[in-house]
Short mmCIF file of all heavy atoms in Angstrom, two decimals:
data_model
loop_
_atom_site.label_atom_id
_atom_site.label_comp_id
_atom_site.label_asym_id
_atom_site.label_seq_id
_atom_site.Cartn_x
_atom_site.Cartn_y
_atom_site.Cartn_z
N LYS A 18 91.07 84.00 66.77
CA LYS A 18 92.23 83.26 67.49
C LYS A 18 92.99 84.35 68.23
O LYS A 18 93.92 85.03 67.68
CB LYS A 18 93.12 82.51 66.47
CG LYS A 18 92.39 81.34 65.80
CD LYS A 18 93.34 80.53 64.86
CE LYS A 18 92.65 79.43 64.24
NZ LYS A 18 93.55 78.65 63.34
N LYS A 34 98.20 74.22 90.22
CA LYS A 34 99.60 73.83 90.08
C LYS A 34 100.52 74.61 91.06
O LYS A 34 101.49 74.12 91.60
CB LYS A 34 100.05 74.04 88.65
CG LYS A 34 99.44 73.08 87.65
CD LYS A 34 99.85 73.36 86.19
CE LYS A 34 99.11 72.46 85.23
NZ LYS A 34 99.48 72.81 83.82
N ASN A 48 105.12 82.11 107.97
CA ASN A 48 105.63 82.04 109.39
C ASN A 48 106.57 83.24 109.64
O ASN A 48 106.58 83.80 110.75
CB ASN A 48 106.27 80.74 109.64
CG ASN A 48 106.72 80.55 111.05
OD1 ASN A 48 105.95 80.63 111.99
ND2 ASN A 48 107.98 80.19 111.28
N LEU A 58 103.97 95.93 100.03
CA LEU A 58 103.64 95.28 98.85
C LEU A 58 104.02 96.15 97.66
O LEU A 58 103.58 97.27 97.59
CB LEU A 58 102.17 94.87 98.83
CG LEU A 58 101.67 94.06 99.95
CD1 LEU A 58 100.11 93.87 99.82
CD2 LEU A 58 102.36 92.75 100.13
N GLU A 76 93.25 94.47 105.72
CA GLU A 76 93.07 95.61 106.61
C GLU A 76 91.53 95.67 107.04
O GLU A 76 91.24 96.33 108.03
CB GLU A 76 93.56 96.94 106.09
CG GLU A 76 95.11 96.86 106.01
CD GLU A 76 95.68 98.25 105.65
OE1 GLU A 76 94.91 99.14 105.21
OE2 GLU A 76 96.86 98.41 105.98
N ILE A 83 100.23 97.00 106.57
CA ILE A 83 100.60 96.86 105.15
C ILE A 83 100.57 98.17 104.46
O ILE A 83 99.72 99.00 104.52
CB ILE A 83 99.61 95.86 104.55
CG1 ILE A 83 99.61 94.54 105.13
CG2 ILE A 83 100.02 95.73 103.00
CD1 ILE A 83 98.62 93.54 104.65
N ASP A 84 101.71 98.42 103.65
CA ASP A 84 101.83 99.57 102.74
C ASP A 84 101.89 99.13 101.29
O ASP A 84 102.59 98.08 101.08
CB ASP A 84 102.94 100.46 103.13
CG ASP A 84 102.72 101.21 104.42
OD1 ASP A 84 101.65 101.65 104.68
OD2 ASP A 84 103.72 101.33 105.19
N SER A 102 110.99 94.54 109.10
CA SER A 102 109.96 94.66 108.05
C SER A 102 110.27 93.70 106.94
O SER A 102 111.37 93.15 106.78
CB SER A 102 109.91 96.12 107.54
OG SER A 102 111.14 96.55 106.97
N ALA A 145 115.79 87.93 95.49
CA ALA A 145 115.07 88.00 96.79
C ALA A 145 115.51 86.98 97.68
O ALA A 145 116.02 85.87 97.33
CB ALA A 145 113.52 87.84 96.46
N LYS A 190 90.58 77.41 102.98
CA LYS A 190 89.94 76.22 102.44
C LYS A 190 89.10 76.66 101.17
O LYS A 190 89.16 75.96 100.15
CB LYS A 190 89.04 75.61 103.46
CG LYS A 190 88.29 74.38 103.01
CD LYS A 190 87.41 73.76 104.10
CE LYS A 190 86.68 72.48 103.59
NZ LYS A 190 85.77 71.91 104.60
N ALA A 239 90.32 99.02 84.89
CA ALA A 239 90.52 100.24 84.09
C ALA A 239 91.86 100.30 83.43
O ALA A 239 92.01 100.64 82.26
CB ALA A 239 90.23 101.42 85.05
N LEU A 243 90.73 97.44 80.29
CA LEU A 243 90.01 98.37 79.34
C LEU A 243 90.99 99.21 78.48
O LEU A 243 90.88 99.35 77.27
CB LEU A 243 89.07 99.26 80.04
CG LEU A 243 87.78 98.51 80.50
CD1 LEU A 243 87.02 99.43 81.55
CD2 LEU A 243 86.89 98.16 79.35
N MET A 244 92.05 99.77 79.22
CA MET A 244 92.95 100.71 78.43
C MET A 244 93.91 99.84 77.66
O MET A 244 94.18 100.16 76.45
CB MET A 244 93.61 101.69 79.37
CG MET A 244 92.65 102.79 79.83
SD MET A 244 93.46 104.28 80.44
CE MET A 244 93.96 103.81 81.99
N SER A 251 89.57 104.76 80.36
CA SER A 251 88.98 104.32 81.54
C SER A 251 89.59 104.96 82.80
O SER A 251 90.73 105.36 82.78
CB SER A 251 89.05 102.82 81.66
OG SER A 251 88.25 102.33 82.80
N GLU A 268 76.39 111.12 83.60
CA GLU A 268 75.24 111.52 82.86
C GLU A 268 74.51 110.45 82.18
O GLU A 268 75.05 109.34 82.13
CB GLU A 268 75.74 112.63 81.84
CG GLU A 268 76.45 113.79 82.47
CD GLU A 268 77.15 114.67 81.45
OE1 GLU A 268 77.17 114.30 80.29
OE2 GLU A 268 77.72 115.68 81.87
N ASP A 270 73.45 107.86 79.78
CA ASP A 270 74.15 106.90 78.82
C ASP A 270 75.67 106.82 79.04
O ASP A 270 76.35 106.23 78.15
CB ASP A 270 73.82 107.38 77.40
CG ASP A 270 72.37 107.16 77.06
OD1 ASP A 270 71.70 106.27 77.68
OD2 ASP A 270 71.78 107.91 76.20
N ILE A 285 78.06 102.56 100.56
CA ILE A 285 78.34 103.76 99.71
C ILE A 285 78.23 103.29 98.26
O ILE A 285 77.71 104.07 97.37
CB ILE A 285 79.66 104.31 99.99
CG1 ILE A 285 79.77 104.60 101.50
CG2 ILE A 285 79.90 105.57 99.19
CD1 ILE A 285 78.76 105.64 102.00
N LYS A 288 74.74 103.41 97.12
CA LYS A 288 74.17 104.80 96.96
C LYS A 288 74.62 105.33 95.54
O LYS A 288 73.90 106.05 94.87
CB LYS A 288 74.74 105.75 98.01
CG LYS A 288 74.09 105.44 99.39
CD LYS A 288 74.68 106.41 100.45
CE LYS A 288 74.00 106.12 101.77
NZ LYS A 288 74.47 107.04 102.91
N ILE A 290 75.11 103.28 92.94
CA ILE A 290 74.25 102.60 92.04
C ILE A 290 72.88 103.27 91.91
O ILE A 290 72.36 103.50 90.79
CB ILE A 290 74.15 101.12 92.44
CG1 ILE A 290 75.42 100.36 92.34
CG2 ILE A 290 73.08 100.44 91.64
CD1 ILE A 290 75.41 99.06 92.96
N PHE A 292 72.03 106.30 92.50
CA PHE A 292 72.10 107.65 91.84
C PHE A 292 72.27 107.46 90.33
O PHE A 292 71.53 108.06 89.54
CB PHE A 292 73.32 108.41 92.35
CG PHE A 292 73.47 109.79 91.73
CD1 PHE A 292 72.81 110.91 92.23
CD2 PHE A 292 74.26 110.00 90.57
CE1 PHE A 292 73.00 112.18 91.72
CE2 PHE A 292 74.42 111.15 89.96
CZ PHE A 292 73.74 112.27 90.53
N GLU A 294 71.36 104.90 88.43
CA GLU A 294 70.17 104.34 87.81
C GLU A 294 69.02 105.41 87.80
O GLU A 294 68.21 105.48 86.77
CB GLU A 294 69.68 103.13 88.70
CG GLU A 294 70.60 101.95 88.57
CD GLU A 294 70.08 100.74 89.31
OE1 GLU A 294 69.33 100.87 90.23
OE2 GLU A 294 70.64 99.64 89.00
N LYS A 295 69.03 106.34 88.73
CA LYS A 295 68.05 107.36 88.79
C LYS A 295 68.18 108.27 87.58
O LYS A 295 67.14 108.76 87.01
CB LYS A 295 68.12 108.09 90.10
CG LYS A 295 67.10 109.25 90.31
CD LYS A 295 67.24 109.93 91.56
CE LYS A 295 66.24 111.05 91.79
NZ LYS A 295 66.40 111.74 93.12
N PRO A 317 87.32 89.37 94.28
CA PRO A 317 87.98 89.58 93.06
C PRO A 317 88.28 88.36 92.23
O PRO A 317 88.30 88.43 91.01
CB PRO A 317 89.29 90.33 93.59
CG PRO A 317 88.93 90.89 94.82
CD PRO A 317 87.97 89.97 95.50
N ILE A 319 86.31 86.03 91.82
CA ILE A 319 84.99 85.64 91.21
C ILE A 319 84.68 86.72 90.12
O ILE A 319 84.38 86.32 89.02
CB ILE A 319 83.87 85.65 92.28
CG1 ILE A 319 84.26 84.63 93.43
CG2 ILE A 319 82.59 85.25 91.61
CD1 ILE A 319 84.48 83.20 92.94
#
Side-chain angles (χ1 to χ4, degrees):
K18 294 183 179 180
K34 291 175 183 176
N48 184 55
L58 303 181
E76 291 190 342
I83 301 175
D84 289 320
S102 60
K190 181 178 179 181
L243 285 165
M244 284 202 281
S251 189
E268 301 169 355
D270 293 334
I285 306 300
K288 290 181 179 179
I290 294 170
F292 181 89
E294 292 179 344
K295 182 178 180 180
I319 304 302

